[in-house]
Amino acid sequence: MTEVMTDWDVGVIVLLLPLAAAMVVFQDNPYHALVVRGILGAIAALVYALLGAADVALTEALMGTMLGTALSVVAMRSSLVLRLGVLATEVAAPTPEFTALCEDLRRGIAPHHLRLEVVPYDDCAALHRALVERDIHGVCTRSRAAALHGPVCQYATVLRVSRLYEILRAAIASPTMHLIYGADPEKVVLVDPVADPFNSTADQADQSEGLVPQEPH
Amino acid sequence: MNWILGAMVLATLIPMYAACQNQDIWQKMLAFASIATKTSVAIIVISVLQDDWFIGMVGSIILSVGNASLMLLAQVLKRLNQTNPGY
């Protein structure tokens, strides 16, 4: 350290580092924590440059702050998500019940900092294939009986991830939605009740192992 | 010249306090931008005080690259906000 700066000056600047670190620790939203991690990186670079390690400061700014933050936010964006497969017709012309259901789902997963991504598929076969291939975490279709009874649409959501099922089960008590846990996606039978409410596939589906979308009891 | 550095450190505390208080992520990004710029200018001031060109060069690189990281982060956060308002 040169004679220009006293130990007191250096001490005050170095104290910013634990302060910023404490700020990172006390953030509960991961995205907020990442932004505050950027602040920590900037202050760390200042401290390293102050103590004479200019190369370390440059590495901290380039790798720690820029690359680390950018990669973390991309990883977080693709992992902290609930991908819900639906039929394309639902997205093209959403019913008020479907919109309310999406809002309910968003509200249910928001405390865990997850976001909802609705993925449209053309038909039930594509939807089922996506569920089996683990491309999506769950599917949401209209209940078969809803097509038979009355104007109110009812939806059944089949989730293949048990933790997501627990979270949503505790958070959501919507009368228009029925949650089902499908541990084995292969056994989930999806029918398109709007296209053909009386077809034989639906009757066959009722006999499978309780994994078809059913009416709440 | 030391008082300039002291004033900058005190000024750095203001956006840090703002980042602590505010729950809006864009306010935090603003605080991040403010702190990143302040610290890199402080590095350049230190290089002048110590008469070290190497530190000055690093400070100028950090000053320009810090904004790039901010832009990258803002782009991803903007897309997140479009698909799921409230983040």
Side-chain angles (χ1 to χ4, degrees):
Chain A
M1 189 56 46
T2 58
E3 308 78 38
V4 184
M5 297 188 66
T6 62
D7 283 348
W8 176 248
D9 295 332
V10 176
V12 169
I13 296 175
V14 171
L15 266 181
L16 290 174
L17 199 58
L19 188 67
M23 276 169 60
V24 180
V25 170
F26 290 113
Q27 299 294 322
D28 47 354
N29 187 328
Y31 292 99
H32 291 198
L34 215 54
V35 176
V36 182
R37 167 69 182 81
I39 294 176
L40 173 68
I43 290 173
L46 169 66
V47 172
Y48 297 149
L50 178 70
L51 297 176
D55 49 347
V56 184
L58 188 63
T59 311
E60 170 63 37
L62 291 182
M63 298 296 122
T65 306
M66 193 181 101
L67 198 66
T69 308
L71 289 182
S72 303
V73 78
V74 169
M76 238 184 248
R77 182 168 158 262
S78 50
S79 61
L80 283 176
V81 63
L82 164 59
R83 283 170 65 85
L84 190 69
V86 294
L87 290 173
T89 49
E90 296 285 357
V91 181
T95 59
E97 289 84 8
F98 182 72
T99 315
L101 177 121
C102 286
E103 276 309 306
D104 277 348
L105 284 174
R106 280 204 178 96
R107 215 173 301 122
I109 58 181
H112 297 268
H113 308 294
L114 292 165
R115 62 195 176 85
L116 178 70
E117 191 179 325
V118 177
V119 191
Y121 287 91
D122 288 335
D123 52 9
C124 277
L127 201 59
H128 188 247
R129 202 178 319 118
L131 189 71
V132 170
E133 288 171 357
R134 296 170 175 245
D135 202 20
I136 48 180
H137 297 121
V139 292
C140 181
T141 51
R142 284 188 201 189
S143 299
R144 186 172 61 95
L148 307 174
H149 311 294
V152 177
C153 290
Q154 291 204 326
Y155 287 90
T157 306
V158 184
L159 295 166
R160 63 169 179 80
V161 184
S162 63
R163 181 67 187 131
L164 283 175
Y165 175 72
E166 286 165 20
I167 288 171
L168 286 176
R169 177 140 197 193
I172 296 176
S174 167
T176 54
M177 185 173 68
H178 186 208
L179 269 180
I180 301 161
Y181 172 50
D184 189 357
E186 298 267 3
K187 291 182 183 165
V188 175
V189 180
L190 297 173
V191 290
D192 192 347
V194 180
D196 190 4
F198 302 105
N199 66 358
S200 59
T201 321
D203 296 333
Q204 188 189 342
D206 281 341
Q207 292 161 9
S208 74
E209 298 175 10
L211 296 173
V212 284
Q214 291 170 344
E215 290 303 298
H217 300 296
Chain B
M1 287 287 278
N2 271 9
W3 64 272
I4 297 177
L5 206 58
M8 288 186 80
V9 170
L10 282 180
T12 312
L13 288 174
I14 300 168
M16 280 179 81
Y17 177 74
C20 267
Q21 292 297 307
N22 237 305
Q23 281 305 306
D24 185 14
I25 195 158
W26 295 109
Q27 296 282 337
K28 281 193 165 63
M29 289 289 284
L30 277 177
F32 175 31
S34 172
I35 291 173
T37 314
K38 276 194 185 73
T39 49
S40 20
V41 172
I43 291 174
I44 295 174
V45 171
I46 288 168
S47 78
V48 173
L49 286 178
Q50 299 191 354
D51 195 20
D52 190 340
W53 278 87
F54 186 39
I55 293 179
M57 189 191 71
V58 166
S60 62
I61 290 174
I62 292 175
L63 185 63
S64 55
V65 169
N67 287 329
S69 80
L70 201 77
M71 287 296 135
L72 275 173
L73 199 57
Q75 277 293 334
V76 180
L77 288 176
K78 191 182 79 179
R79 288 196 189 176
L80 275 178
N81 260 333
Q82 281 168 351
T83 54
N84 223 40
Y87 264 95

